[in-house]
Amino acid sequence: MIINFIDCTESNHNDMDKVITYLNDYFNSLNIQTVRLKYSEMQIVKCSQCRACTQKKGEYPIDCVIKDDMNKTLKQIEEADAYVILADRNNLFTKNKVHEKVSERFVAYHYWPFGQRQSTPRKQSLEKSSILINYNTTQYFMNHSFYTSRLYMEQTSHSIGAKVLDWLAFTPKEDLILSYEDRLIAMADKLIESFKNKAS
């Protein structure tokens, strides 16, 4: 089993690194391979909306004509069996720019020939699974930033063909892992169990 951390955090947060390290160690202790795709450290440019990648039919994403790091990560995403999708939200009134840029480039997961009114997802069935983790420093429980963050992350998951099993938005804590440890393990176990059920 291979689990990808699709890390769309915009800022460098020690707290988010702690969460990823904790989950990574847990998966590795069960002999599960992990790959972290940290998009803020990659050369990823904004989508030019040329739609060249959307013209061919097929189940798999089409390589982008832009020669940056995205095509490589699309292959790594396809090789994975499940996903932990992570993003942060630090302002009530602006989007996470990294996640926005990555999600736009995931248009490669859509078939949208010129003349067709709307796109069609290449992954018609959600055969893989994901969990979503959002680090939200806006401090307001269940406000607009929590709702929109979840919506964008769900769209990312569905684009890559993964069913969302669970979602967690956490805020800064003095002892973060201790505060969320049980919840993180429960989410990780859901991801593992989902893969086992599909494999059996």
Side-chain angles (χ1 to χ4, degrees):
M1 181 179 186
I2 302 174
I3 295 177
N4 272 10
F5 289 91
I6 299 179
D7 182 0
C8 296
T9 50
E10 186 174 29
S11 305
N12 290 321
H13 295 294
N14 288 333
D15 282 345
M16 188 62 97
D17 285 337
K18 290 176 185 177
V19 169
I20 294 173
T21 299
Y22 182 77
L23 288 174
N24 185 72
D25 290 347
Y26 181 70
F27 290 134
N28 290 167
S29 73
L30 299 173
N31 295 317
I32 295 172
Q33 182 181 344
T34 58
V35 176
R36 183 177 181 181
L37 304 175
K38 188 171 176 61
Y39 283 97
S40 64
E41 296 180 353
M42 298 180 192
Q43 183 186 8
I44 304 288
V45 304
K46 285 183 65 66
C47 179
S48 66
Q49 300 186 26
C50 71
R51 282 173 51 187
C53 66
T54 69
Q55 302 305 304
K56 298 179 182 178
K57 283 188 177 181
E59 180 183 352
Y60 301 102
I62 306 300
D63 280 355
C64 181
V65 296
I66 300 172
K67 302 305 179 186
D68 59 7
D69 293 333
M70 181 55 79
N71 288 337
K72 177 183 176 182
T73 71
L74 291 177
K75 291 179 174 63
Q76 291 174 303
I77 288 170
E78 286 301 295
E79 291 169 355
D81 301 299
Y83 309 95
V84 180
I85 301 174
L86 310 107
D88 55 355
R89 187 70 185 269
N90 303 303
N91 192 295
L92 283 170
F93 306 107
T94 59
K95 297 179 182 179
N96 175 320
K97 298 301 183 185
V98 173
H99 191 199
E100 182 180 25
K101 184 166 56 177
V102 171
S103 62
E104 286 178 355
R105 294 292 296 277
F106 279 177
V107 70
Y109 278 96
H110 294 261
Y111 174 59
W112 195 0
F114 297 117
Q116 184 170 297
R117 295 179 66 89
Q118 60 187 21
S119 66
T120 303
R122 297 186 184 280
K123 306 288 187 180
Q124 290 293 312
S125 59
L126 304 180
E127 297 181 356
K128 299 182 182 182
S129 301
S130 72
I131 56 175
L132 314 180
I133 299 176
N134 178 245
Y135 184 62
N136 199 309
T137 64
T138 61
Q139 298 289 347
Y140 298 97
F141 181 69
M142 293 304 290
N143 68 5
H144 179 70
S145 71
F146 281 74
Y147 171 78
T148 54
S149 295
R150 178 173 181 170
L151 180 63
Y152 294 143
M153 295 174 78
E154 287 177 342
Q155 290 172 348
T156 296
S157 183
H158 293 162
S159 290
I160 63 179
K163 178 182 179 181
V164 176
L165 301 179
D166 208 344
W167 143 270
L168 171 65
F170 65 88
T171 55
K173 303 281 186 183
E174 185 173 344
D175 195 334
L176 185 76
I177 297 301
L178 186 61
S179 299
Y180 293 101
E181 183 174 19
D182 291 344
R183 187 81 173 86
L184 290 169
I185 293 298
M187 293 174 70
D189 286 343
K190 283 184 182 180
L191 205 59
I192 297 166
E193 190 64 28
S194 175
F195 172 76
K196 289 181 178 177
N197 290 339
K198 287 184 174 66
S200 61

